Amino acid sequence: MTVMAERASSQLSVDTFERIAEFAERMDETVSFEFIGGRIGVKKVTNGSHGEIAMWLVFHCKQARPDLTLNPTGQGLKVEAYRRGRAKPDAVLAPVGYFNGRGDWADPAGVLMAVEITSYDSDTHNRDRVEKPQAYAEAGIPVYLLIDRDSLSILVHSDPDPEDGYRDIHVVKLGGKVTLPDPVGIELDTEELKQYVD
């Protein structure tokens, strides 16, 4: 991003950002923008393995908790402390029907878990490991699940605090069993995920 673009994005209002994001997505389906920390970020198109991980998680969440839906369609969320940020998690877990009629950028009050799957790009560290955990914690999302393909690990963030971020981070190597704490309450055996790491 150029210096001029950085300055422009730091001065954008949320309304202006939403209009830019809507226009860009209408013009090109492969473009998706986020607005976190007062900066515009581009969410890149994912590869097939990334999609397989998301669908694996959808299947296991639905099997364990039929009352919930893991939405992997890029549902936007209003994040950060005062809902001034806009994020598009790789998947969002909420009660069945929660997103019906809520528009492109939903309030996260009913969201139980946000999920990110790392991509192999230069912005992954800052976006998935720093900015998004803080934004999701500020929004009060109870669980943030990061499937980190670089470190071959699953990171379960819980106990969100608006000031400090998530207070509890549990790390499990791919292949191990991981428990997603309440209010999610699902145990996952991640052995199968090893085949989806590029």
Side-chain angles (χ1 to χ4, degrees):
M1 187 179 280
T2 67
V3 173
M4 187 178 288
E6 272 188 36
R7 284 188 194 138
S9 68
S10 67
Q11 298 171 8
L12 282 180
S13 70
V14 172
D15 291 339
T16 301
F17 164 75
E18 287 182 358
R19 287 194 302 273
I20 290 168
E22 182 182 342
F23 174 78
E25 289 183 32
R26 272 198 323 261
M27 299 308 291
D28 184 349
E29 293 176 353
T30 65
V31 174
S32 183
F33 290 123
E34 296 177 304
F35 190 59
I36 299 174
R39 290 184 16 241
I40 292 178
V42 177
K43 186 146 179 134
K44 297 187 178 188
V45 175
T46 60
N47 66 13
S49 296
H50 187 284
E52 288 293 334
I53 292 170
M55 293 313 297
W56 176 89
L57 194 56
V58 167
F59 174 79
H60 288 283
C61 286
K62 196 58 158 177
Q63 189 176 44
R65 294 284 309 269
D67 58 318
L68 303 175
T69 296
L70 186 71
N71 183 338
T73 62
Q75 170 64 54
L77 294 177
K78 297 175 183 177
V79 296
E80 297 180 317
Y82 301 103
R83 308 296 194 260
R84 298 183 56 83
R86 300 291 183 265
K88 288 204 170 189
D90 288 324
V92 182
L93 186 71
V96 171
Y98 178 75
F99 292 110
N100 188 31
R102 295 192 184 259
D104 294 336
W105 304 101
D107 189 286
V111 172
L112 305 180
M113 180 173 72
V115 178
E116 297 291 348
I117 302 161
T118 58
S119 300
Y120 300 114
D121 63 48
S122 61
D123 197 34
T124 287
H125 174 74
N126 196 44
R127 183 181 62 243
D128 294 338
R129 298 182 189 109
V130 178
E131 293 176 347
K132 287 197 173 179
Q134 183 62 41
Y136 296 151
E138 286 179 22
I141 297 172
V143 177
Y144 169 52
L145 178 66
L146 175 62
I147 300 174
D148 193 326
R149 297 189 292 169
D150 294 320
S151 67
L152 304 177
S153 300
I154 305 276
L155 290 83
V156 180
H157 300 68
S158 60
D159 192 15
D161 179 83
E163 300 284 321
D164 300 328
Y166 287 99
R167 293 184 191 147
D168 186 11
I169 302 172
H170 184 69
V171 181
V172 174
K173 284 294 190 185
L174 281 184
K177 291 187 178 175
V178 63
T179 299
L180 305 177
D182 289 334
V184 178
I186 296 173
E187 185 175 295
L188 300 170
D189 182 345
T190 67
E191 180 66 33
E192 192 177 342
L193 289 183
K194 292 162 117 183
Q195 67 183 313
Y196 302 126
V197 177
D198 299 328

